[in-house]
Amino acid sequence: MDPDAVKSTLTNLAFGNVIAAAARNYQKEILAQEKAQSSSAFNEEVDLDELMDDPELEKLHADRIASLKKEAEKREALKRKGHGEYREIDEGDFLGEVTGTEKAICHFYHKEFYRCKIMDKHLKALAPRHVDTKFIKLDAENAPFFVAKLGVKTLPCVVLFSKGVAMDRLVGFQDIGGKDDFSTRTLELILIKKGIISEKKDNEGDEDDDYRENSQRTVRSSTNPDSDSDSD
């Protein structure tokens, strides 16, 4: 046999053995990785099961559910007292409305005054967002006793009540920049600053269409910028 041919054959066999060994090593490595991943996934499942059975986590979950239930019951109780909507009342109902709740906002208005209509629009948007506070309106012409008693001189006049006591007020648009084209959010921030409503978190409460619309755009300006009017 030709020595060169024998040498070539042996070389090819050696090379083939190296390739085969490398293939076997690669296969072993892949199997090892798959086994490790399977073991890791199993451990994760075990850890998750242990976490789900954690008594502290179960207590936190139960406390959260109880808190949400209590809050929902409170909101329903307030709604039964007239919270969550912007309502018109009569003079005869006024005392009961403002003394029968923790916080109340009453808008003294005149049906012909343009700025009263602007205030109406914003208060209507805020009422369902701030259920803790009662939002009501009273026709100043039909409530002479309380108009005199509270010293209401200029309309719109928004009186803020805490436990039945008038704690503050917005007279005309003086506190809102003196212009008609303010947003609902502007009024909301003023009422928050005065302590009659509370700031809402981003995920707290459902904003209705009126609030979103009036927060994104302003009400068109009045043709009469000096539309605040005396109630006399």
Side-chain angles (χ1 to χ4, degrees), residues 19 40 43 46 49-50 61 65 71 78 90 97 103 107 113-114 172 185 189 209 232:
I19 295 300
S40 175
N43 289 335
V46 171
D49 289 339
E50 290 177 355
H61 180 67
I65 294 297
E71 183 64 26
L78 288 171
D90 297 325
E97 291 282 0
K103 295 179 180 180
H107 174 205
F113 293 172
Y114 180 74
R185 179 58 177 165
L189 289 172
D209 292 339
D232 299 334

Side-chain angles (χ1 to χ4, degrees), residues 83-102:
H83 290 237
E85 60 179 335
Y86 182 49
R87 299 178 294 113
E88 179 155 13
I89 63 170
D90 297 325
E91 186 175 43
D93 299 325
F94 176 77
L95 277 180
E97 291 282 0
V98 299
T99 59
T101 191
E102 185 80 13

Side-chain angles (χ1 to χ4, degrees), residues 11-187:
T11 300
N12 290 337
L13 288 172
F15 181 75
N17 290 335
V18 170
I19 295 300
R24 285 194 299 272
N25 290 337
Y26 179 74
Q27 186 177 18
K28 289 180 180 179
E29 185 178 343
I30 294 298
L31 290 173
Q33 289 178 358
E34 290 177 351
K35 184 177 180 180
Q37 290 175 355
S38 176
S39 176
S40 175
F42 176 76
N43 289 335
E44 288 178 1
E45 290 177 2
V46 171
D47 292 342
L48 182 59
D49 289 339
E50 290 177 355
L51 186 62
M52 292 300 291
D53 293 333
D54 189 325
E56 291 187 6
L57 181 62
E58 289 182 355
K59 184 178 184 303
L60 287 174
H61 180 67
D63 290 346
R64 177 59 176 162
I65 294 297
S67 176
L68 290 173
K69 183 179 179 181
K70 185 177 180 181
E71 183 64 26
E73 291 173 348
K74 178 184 175 183
R75 288 173 66 89
E76 288 304 314
L78 288 171
K79 286 182 178 180
R80 287 194 292 272
K81 292 182 178 181
H83 290 237
E85 60 179 335
Y86 182 49
R87 299 178 294 113
E88 179 155 13
I89 63 170
D90 297 325
E91 186 175 43
D93 299 325
F94 176 77
L95 277 180
E97 291 282 0
V98 299
T99 59
T101 191
E102 185 80 13
K103 295 179 180 180
I105 294 174
C106 184
H107 174 205
F108 286 85
Y109 79 99
H110 190 288
K111 59 185 177 182
E112 300 297 333
F113 293 172
Y114 180 74
R115 283 192 166 180
C116 290
K117 295 176 182 178
I118 294 176
M119 185 61 74
D120 270 344
K121 186 176 184 110
H122 294 301
L123 292 176
K124 181 182 178 182
L126 289 174
R129 180 170 167 80
H130 296 277
V131 179
D132 288 346
T133 301
K134 180 182 289 186
F135 287 73
I136 52 179
K137 59 188 290 190
L138 184 59
D139 188 335
E141 279 193 317
N142 297 326
F145 177 80
F146 288 109
V147 165
K149 195 73 174 176
L150 292 169
V152 175
K153 300 289 186 181
T154 300
L155 301 177
C157 182
V158 178
V159 185
L160 316 180
F161 293 89
S162 176
K163 297 180 180 179
V165 177
M167 54 175 280
D168 208 340
R169 66 182 62 195
L170 301 179
V171 179
F173 287 178
Q174 295 174 9
D175 292 310
I176 319 174
K179 296 182 179 180
D180 299 351
D181 58 347
F182 61 90
S183 68
T184 298
R185 179 58 177 165
T186 298
L187 177 60

